[in-house]
Amino acid sequence: MTEQGTPDRRTNPFTAVPGADGLVLDVPAYQAGFDRDHEGCTEPMWKLERAQTFYEPDVASWRAMMNGDWERSLALLARIAEPLADYFSRRQPVRRVRVVELPVTPYLQWELHVLAVRAAAGSPCRVVRAGRVAALDPLPELVIFSPSLMYEVLYDEYGGGRGGRRITDPGVVGPCLRAVRELFAAGEDVRDFHEREIVPLPPPAVTDEMRAALPAYAHRTEEFRV
């Protein structure tokens, strides 16, 4: 019996994700699988992002932000608009649900600029306020390719990627896909949210504590990821 006020699997399909059978992949294997599945998918891909901080050392704009050069960070983002438009013109759309807590973290302030650029390039994103998903927390970070294929993306304590779990059980994946679609339909276009809530903000305040983790990611050399 479920405690009052606590969602169970019938109302919260995400509770089934931690216990689902899945193939655990390290970073190179996950990225190879992701690229292969995205190349071959015949329907839109869906992403669910809940965490408010990630580390993305492969992205030059993120590194500039972490170095305190906000002007350069935004200039570098502007440069990816055309390559992104070309990328998304050759693949199925990527539809993202981005959960946002206010006030935004420095990372999220940066990422919402990225997501606005991606949306303009053909990768739609809807913003959902944290209060809307409070009954569903803790939400996993998901990439869903079809009703029978998704990855739970795995992160370390800093928000640095450490691979993923490939889950193919339709009884788990299908309900998660339906829930993500519902959240997307209920969300606000990221470009509207970005213009109203993010553009007026001063540059993000990057702390020494945030920078302290950077050496652990110095070995990462991959390029921009979807």
Side-chain angles (χ1 to χ4, degrees), residues 76-90 117 120-121:
L76 287 167
L77 281 183
R79 296 181 191 176
I80 69 172
E82 187 173 342
L84 275 177
D86 176 67
Y87 179 90
F88 290 123
S89 72
R90 294 180 282 108
V117 172

Side-chain angles (χ1 to χ4, degrees), residues 54-66 69-70 72-74 76-77 80 104-118 194 198 201 204 224:
F54 293 118
Y55 269 62
E56 300 209 27
D58 303 333
V59 183
S61 173
W62 179 87
R63 294 195 300 270
M65 183 268 291
M66 291 293 285
D69 193 343
W70 186 234
R72 174 170 168 75
S73 177
L74 295 181
L76 287 167
L77 281 183
I80 69 172
V104 294
T105 61
Y107 170 83
L108 194 54
Q109 181 177 344
W110 170 80
E111 190 197 30
L112 286 162
H113 283 280
V114 178
L115 296 180
V117 172
R118 285 178 171 173
H194 168 258
I198 304 302
L201 294 177
F224 171 83

Side-chain angles (χ1 to χ4, degrees), residues 19-38:
D21 290 334
L23 178 63
V24 179
L25 304 169
D26 62 14
V27 172
Y30 163 66
Q31 290 180 345
F34 178 100
D35 290 341
R36 181 181 61 250
D37 291 328
H38 193 203

